[in-house]
Amino acid sequence: MMNNKYKILFVEDDSNIRTVITTLLETEGYQVIWAGTCKFAQGLFTSHQPDVVILDLGLPDMDGMRFLEFVRRDSLTPIIVLSARSNDRDKVRALDAGANDYVTKPFSTEELLARIRMILRNYQHRADSGKLPGGKFQVQDMVIDYDARQVFIAGKEIKLSQTEYNIVALLSEHCGKMMTYSAIIKGVWGYPDEGSTKKLQVNMANIRKKFGVKPGEARYITNELGVGYRMNGDNADIQDS
Ligand code: CA
């Protein structure tokens, strides 16, 4: 992590957490600007154009969700939500509103740093259009050929059903982002029905088996129970929880 001058906007009203995390991020070479309220954060976001936002949801003037919506009105800047709220509904709400990832307090600083690195890498990926020439996409040793609708791992073709392929392709288009079950279902089937989450889980289990991923391993795709799935970028240092 030498020479990274990525700018992080840290929105947090708790001064203890703010000091600890700001020091940590600066030690890692990031440039940090911070705000303790939604209103101040909006001003900083507009004037500084940060590369990443780390957002606490419990802020004194407004719900952090409002800031999230403000950013998503016209920007794709990655947002990691940091919150004491641990129930799945809040996570789903934040992710569906456009958060890229979610870290629940208390969290390990290593975990937070890993998430930031992954998001920056994937965002970089996407800025380079995320894809290799000729309609291909690669993370780790997995290659997707969008034109041929084929997936390869370590050069070997993995035979997927149409639905399985559609799920993998969709996750790859949002690589690095935790996608909720309902967002994936909408993207793949177009509409939700009673059995869709189950259907998605069955398909995912098949995909993992075909990819040769052992239970509990998060090599290509991470599952957060009750929330959704994320295709991981190049780093394998985030494990299934
Ligand atoms: Ca707070």
Side-chain angles (χ1 to χ4, degrees):
M1 279 277 117
M2 307 301 285
N3 192 27
N4 77 62
K5 269 297 169 196
Y6 287 111
K7 198 189 293 174
I8 298 181
L9 170 58
F10 186 26
V11 189
E12 168 67 80
D13 61 319
D14 182 316
S15 60
N16 288 328
I17 296 177
R18 203 164 59 211
T19 307
V20 170
I21 300 299
T22 301
T23 307
L24 173 82
L25 294 174
E26 286 175 348
T27 307
E28 291 290 310
Y30 295 106
Q31 187 191 338
V32 184
I33 48 177
W34 63 264
T37 63
C38 269
K39 205 154 181 55
F40 194 57
Q42 290 182 1
L44 282 185
F45 182 83
T46 308
S47 55
H48 283 74
Q49 302 285 310
D51 299 294
V52 182
V53 175
I54 300 173
L55 175 66
D56 176 35
L57 289 182
L59 295 164
D61 60 336
M62 276 182 261
D63 191 314
M65 288 291 295
R66 301 280 293 278
F67 178 68
L68 210 164
E69 287 154 9
F70 165 83
V71 171
R72 278 295 169 266
R73 247 177 263 153
D74 52 18
S75 162
L76 291 173
T77 304
I79 300 174
I80 301 173
V81 164
L82 192 65
S83 175
R85 300 172 191 185
S86 62
N87 81 57
D88 294 340
R89 228 187 11 222
D90 285 329
K91 290 185 192 177
V92 168
R93 199 163 70 99
L95 292 166
D96 278 341
N100 296 66
D101 213 335
Y102 198 107
V103 178
T104 306
K105 294 174 183 171
F107 56 90
S108 81
T109 52
E110 279 311 309
E111 184 189 0
L112 179 65
L113 288 173
R115 298 284 174 103
I116 294 169
R117 281 197 299 271
M118 186 168 73
I119 271 185
L120 283 169
R121 194 151 38 211
N122 290 316
Y123 195 68
Q124 205 65 28
H125 247 311
R126 292 187 71 188
D128 304 340
S129 91
K131 292 156 192 173
L132 304 174
K136 290 194 178 137
F137 174 92
Q138 177 163 20
V139 277
Q140 304 166 56
D141 59 355
M142 180 180 69
V143 174
I144 302 173
D145 183 332
Y146 292 121
D147 296 334
R149 295 175 64 84
Q150 285 174 311
V151 177
F152 301 85
I153 286 183
K156 218 176 128 243
E157 192 191 347
I158 308 295
K159 292 276 182 200
L160 299 176
S161 72
Q162 291 298 320
T163 302
E164 290 161 5
Y165 172 82
N166 289 340
I167 294 169
V168 172
L170 179 72
L171 288 174
S172 75
E173 280 158 23
H174 301 271
C175 187
K177 178 174 174 14
M178 176 63 74
M179 293 191 75
T180 61
Y181 296 136
S182 75
I184 299 169
I185 288 162
K186 265 187 224 138
V188 172
W189 286 282
Y191 59 91
D193 64 37
E194 267 174 49
S196 8
T197 303
K198 186 78 205 147
K199 202 157 59 174
L200 173 60
Q201 285 166 339
V202 169
N203 275 285
M204 278 311 305
N206 289 336
I207 291 166
R208 290 168 72 96
K209 209 184 301 164
K210 290 179 181 180
F211 281 8
V213 177
K214 296 183 192 76
E217 212 182 9
R219 201 144 26 109
Y220 307 101
I221 296 166
T222 298
N223 176 210
E224 194 169 330
L225 281 179
V227 179
Y229 296 97
R230 178 200 317 114
M231 181 165 289
N232 300 315
D234 299 324
N235 63 338
D237 51 355
I238 290 178
Q239 299 296 319
D240 265 343
S241 46

